[in-house]
Amino acid sequence: MVYSEMTIRKEKISSNDFFQVERWMNTAPLCICSTQTVWEAAKIMEQTELDVMPVVDENDQLVGLLSFRTILSNLLKDSTGSSLIEDIPVYLYDSVRPTDQMTDIVKMQAECLPVVDQSNKILGIITPKEMMNFYTKSMSIVQKKRNAIEILSSVLESAYEGIAVVDEFGILIEFNEAYSRFTGISREEAIGRHVTEVIDNTNLHVTVKTAIPERGVIQNIQGQDMVVHRIPIWEGERVVGAIGMLIFEGVTEIYKIYENLQMNYRNKRVEGSPYSKNNKKNDAESSQVLGTSKEISEVKRIARRAAKTAATVLITGESGTGKEVFARNIHQLSSSLGPFVSVNCGAIPEALFESELFGYEEGAFTGAKKGGKQGKFELAEKGIIFLDEIGEMPLTMQTKLLRVLQEKEAERVGGVAKYKINARIIAATNKNLEEMVSNKTFREDLYYRLNIINIHVPPLRKRRQDIPILLSYYLKEVCNKYHMPMKSFNPDAVSALMSYPWKGNIRELINTIEQIVTLVDSQEIHLVHLPHSIKEMQWEQAEEVTDVKNVSLLEKAKSMGEQMEKESIIKALTHTGGNKTKAAEMLGIHRTTLYQKIKKYDIY
């Protein structure tokens, strides 16, 4: 009996499993059962031109390897070939597991390697053919990576700006030639050292801890003011490093340019109607969507697509997530020539709803304005009307709004002539409109008219990666608003703010920043300065972590291991007279790793 269909289902292999045997093995090897005869084995090997075949027992467990030479030797003794495989010697073999590394099995120098599971059942086989395939593919990948590294290195070295990259411990892992020239410290000497030892007044190690990007800030390096960027490097939900870039070698000219721009802005600033046709330029800043997380990036992508069309948009999300900001963003990105007109449907009394939306004629009711008044739809001509809190709109007005959407025309209260509606509608709500439709509190036909393009803005707790960016932006905004010196958050405060659930979302975050800025005198904001609810939650989390550590044997074992590692490093440094390069060689680790561990254990 020949096992020619022993195909094992392979799980999806990630890039980290590239070198595993499972990725390369032949999952359908030809095997022969130990109860078959030598003659049967000879015929199979002659037909398939195999020199070696795995032998399995009746339970599919690997017995050994049978070579063509062994078969020939047996046939010379017994030309009938009637002997059973189990009665002749099969030679000893090496076997490997699916999770073993291909780079390790090269040392075995075997022409055939069975791959078995824990019960010794055969899963596949590695032959010279599989080895050659592995070599070819791996060499191709290595070459591509080498080319990519060379290109990146060329970009870093040819860039005019100085570029420095640190890891999560603040250790320099890249330091280009431009930075080297400016500081007078060679690349070889800089890499592996803590960034504070190489660059004056740097905050790059703080950027790693706080995850707050800083763009266009002034840093004094070797007595000269420089304009720098500091950008955190994210890997999933964790900051693994930061990039620092020198933008200008001097800022005197930049100050002059800035002052000129400010003067021009003040001279050209003209107060006008809130519905001016030029308000797309004036509202550019209010339409800025902050954040780089995966969640918010996807919503921004949909908003950009929506801006290219004239379709009705329904924006959903919790209160305070920034739904109006997205509406303004769509208006800013669109080709619309008209204004952005916002209407809060939850703030208008039901009796005034129709006149507010569609306007009224002179004498339409007691107290009506002389000459009448334009409605919001008229004011939004060729622009966008934003119906916020659409779920609060009365049913009677829902019916009239639906008619306007269908007929593209409306009529003022007290008027007889209809006028054309030429405004795009964007609606928003924090309510579940589908549930309201089921409860008959929102018209189903209106819901489907509004919900052509749906944009759901995620709550802040679902995109915590964006919190440092929001903190940095609104901290500057609030400080400028109250004409106060610029403040900053320390790492512990940022950590607490990132772990807070923010039930009120961005609106709550802005209010919290405003409270802190106005009440805290210190330039640096610490954990103790945060509102009580945030501090209390942080302390509770810290107590939970402490409790877990107190009862965890694994943590105790880890602590003992770290203590031994610390002692070994101290001994190596003592033995080499503080020479870190020689100490790293003695410990068998890279010099960068030694710097990281010195920093970790506070060894000086």
Side-chain angles (χ1 to χ4, degrees), residues 31-43:
C31 302
I32 190 165
C33 186
S34 59
T35 57
Q36 291 181 263
T37 65
V38 171
W39 183 252
E40 288 175 316
K43 289 174 62 177

Side-chain angles (χ1 to χ4, degrees), residues 43 47 67 70 128 146 164 170 183 282 285 305 321 332 375 407 433 475 505 557 578:
K43 289 174 62 177
Q47 291 171 358
S67 69
T70 303
R146 183 180 292 118
T183 60
N282 298 333
E285 190 170 345
R305 296 285 295 268
T321 52
Q332 182 70 21
E407 299 176 0
L433 291 189
L475 186 63
N505 295 294

